[in-house]
């Protein structure tokens, strides 16, 4: 008779642990591979090009090494019509560009878990709006450029979650007005580009508390009047570009007089 000690079940359990871990790793790898291959076609192509592997061979460690991606139309056959949640999961992105596509909207969660992303360009697409919280996971974002879309308005919480932002451009869109508290949560902004929209005026307090602001671009709008004190207390401001608007000479003269160290173009 073989006598089984009380320690033997534990021994058997210990011997099973390595096998269980190996099985888990295999299942995880298979899941990642399926995930990569099911992403938007143009994203898959970028990952394969950067990693020099087919999507079925790409593992988590490969994804983490992908720091830059450009998603763009490649006519005549490869037009990006939409992007999916999960397209950028697991990537170690520092810079992401979505350029000249046919994308009309971006789904909630599209930028999830991209904590390292510092530069985001969404240029030349067909976007008409940006929903609340779209960028809220991008805690280290420094540059946001969404020029050349068809955006008609921005909400007060547009910048929710991206308090480290330093450069923002929304030029060449269809904005007619902006909320006064738009920039209240991005106090590190240094450069703002509002050029080539349909703005007729800007609220008095829109730039208040932007103590690091150095450049404002607002050319090629329909600005008829600006508050005389719109740039008050912006001690780091050096340049304002406001050409090709409808501002009166008297209005511009008063603003220049209050800001003698600023170059107006």
């Amino acid at each position: 008779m073989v006598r089984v000690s009380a320690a033997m079940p534990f021994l058997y359990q210990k011997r099973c642990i390595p096998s269980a871990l190996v099985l888990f790793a295999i299942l995880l790898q298979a899941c990642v591979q399926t995930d990569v291959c099911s992403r938007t076609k143009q994203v898959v192509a970028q990952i394969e090009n950067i990693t020099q592997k087919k999507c079925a061979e790409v593992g988590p460690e490969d994804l983490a090494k992908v720091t830059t991606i450009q998603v763009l139309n490649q006519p005549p056959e490869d037009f990006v019509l939409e992007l999916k949640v999960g397209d950028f999961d697991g990537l170690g992105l520092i810079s992401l560009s979505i350029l000249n596509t046919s994308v009309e909207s971006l789904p909630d969660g599209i930028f999830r878990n991209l904590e390292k992303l510092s530069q985001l360009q969404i240029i030349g697409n067909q976007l008409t709006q940006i929903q609340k919280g779209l960028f809220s996971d991008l805690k280290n974002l420094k540059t946001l450029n969404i020029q050349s879309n068809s955006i008609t308005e921005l909400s007060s919480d547009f910048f929710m979650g991206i308090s480290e932002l330093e450069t923002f451009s929304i030029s060449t869109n269809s904005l007619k007005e902006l909320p006064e508290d738009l920039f209240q949560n991005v106090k590190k902004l240094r450069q703002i580009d509002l050029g080539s929209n349909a703005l007729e005026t800007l609220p008095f307090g829109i730039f208040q508390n932007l103590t690091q602001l150095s450049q404002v671009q607002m050319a090629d709008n329909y600005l008829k009047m600006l508050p005389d004190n719109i740039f008050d207390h912006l001690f780091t401001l050096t340049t304002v570009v406001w050409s090709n608007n409808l501002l009166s000479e008297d209005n511009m003269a008063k603003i220049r007089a209050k800001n003698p160290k600023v170059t107006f173009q």
Side-chain angles (χ1 to χ4, degrees):
M1 177 180 294
V2 177
R3 185 172 297 178
V4 179
S5 71
M8 289 184 72
F10 176 71
L11 179 62
Y12 293 154
Q13 187 178 15
K14 284 184 67 177
R15 288 177 178 174
C16 290
I17 289 175
S19 297
L21 291 176
V22 170
L23 178 59
F24 176 76
I26 292 172
L27 290 174
L28 179 61
Q29 179 73 7
C31 179
V32 170
Q33 291 168 349
T34 302
D35 174 61
V36 172
C37 294
S38 66
R39 303 184 191 205
T40 297
K41 180 180 178 180
Q42 289 80 359
V43 175
V44 174
Q46 287 273 303
I47 293 174
E48 290 182 332
N49 181 58
I50 293 170
T51 63
Q52 294 295 293
K53 293 182 179 181
K54 295 296 184 183
C55 62
E57 302 170 347
V58 176
E61 68 284 353
D62 300 310
L63 293 176
K65 295 176 183 178
V66 178
T67 59
T68 302
I69 273 189
Q70 288 189 350
V71 180
L72 66 164
N73 279 345
Q74 295 178 331
E77 69 281 354
D78 287 345
F79 284 93
V80 184
L81 299 178
E82 63 179 356
L83 292 169
K84 300 177 292 187
V85 175
D87 272 346
F88 308 119
D89 281 4
L91 301 177
L93 289 178
I94 296 173
S95 176
L96 172 60
S97 301
I98 303 170
L99 308 174
N100 303 316
T101 74
S102 302
V103 170
E104 296 180 356
S105 63
L106 294 169
D108 291 330
I110 185 69
F111 302 123
R112 66 188 183 187
N113 301 320
L114 296 181
E115 293 90 355
K116 296 180 180 179
L117 193 70
S118 65
Q119 181 177 1
L120 177 59
Q121 298 186 97
I122 311 173
I123 301 174
N125 302 286
Q126 306 298 320
L127 298 179
T128 58
Q129 63 178 359
I130 301 290
Q131 65 269 33
K132 176 182 177 180
L134 183 65
F135 308 119
S136 59
D137 285 341
L138 307 180
K139 306 301 183 183
N140 291 301
L141 194 67
K142 304 291 187 184
T143 300
L144 176 59
N145 188 335
I146 50 176
Q147 71 183 57
S148 300
N149 283 279
S150 300
I151 298 169
T152 57
E153 62 179 345
L154 298 180
S155 64
S156 296
D157 48 20
F158 176 83
F159 293 106
M160 185 175 69
I162 51 175
S163 59
E164 297 299 311
L165 198 68
E166 296 178 358
T167 302
F168 173 63
S169 175
I170 192 168
S171 66
T172 319
N173 276 274
S174 301
L175 297 172
K176 293 184 178 180
E177 59 182 2
L178 296 173
E180 184 169 6
D181 56 353
L182 176 63
F183 300 118
Q184 64 178 344
N185 294 319
V186 280
K187 297 180 180 180
K188 295 183 180 181
L189 273 177
R190 298 176 183 273
Q191 300 179 346
I192 298 174
D193 188 351
L194 307 172
S196 299
N197 278 279
L199 298 168
E200 294 186 2
T201 189
L202 293 174
F204 155 67
I206 191 167
F207 301 126
Q208 68 180 6
N209 299 323
L210 297 183
T211 56
Q212 299 182 45
L213 189 64
S214 62
Q215 297 180 25
V216 178
Q217 159 69 273
M218 58 180 73
D220 300 302
N221 278 281
Y222 298 100
L223 294 170
K224 298 176 181 177
M225 188 278 296
L226 290 175
D228 295 348
N229 51 358
I230 190 170
F231 302 122
D232 279 12
H233 309 300
L234 300 181
F235 302 114
T236 59
L237 188 65
T238 61
T239 306
V240 173
V241 181
W242 60 6
S243 56
N244 296 325
N245 279 285
L246 304 173
L247 297 169
S248 69
E249 288 297 330
D250 181 62
N251 187 197
M252 291 189 291
K254 289 180 179 178
I255 295 174
R256 286 194 186 98
K258 292 177 69 67
N259 301 275
K261 296 182 178 180
V262 177
T263 299
F264 291 91
Q265 302 173 356

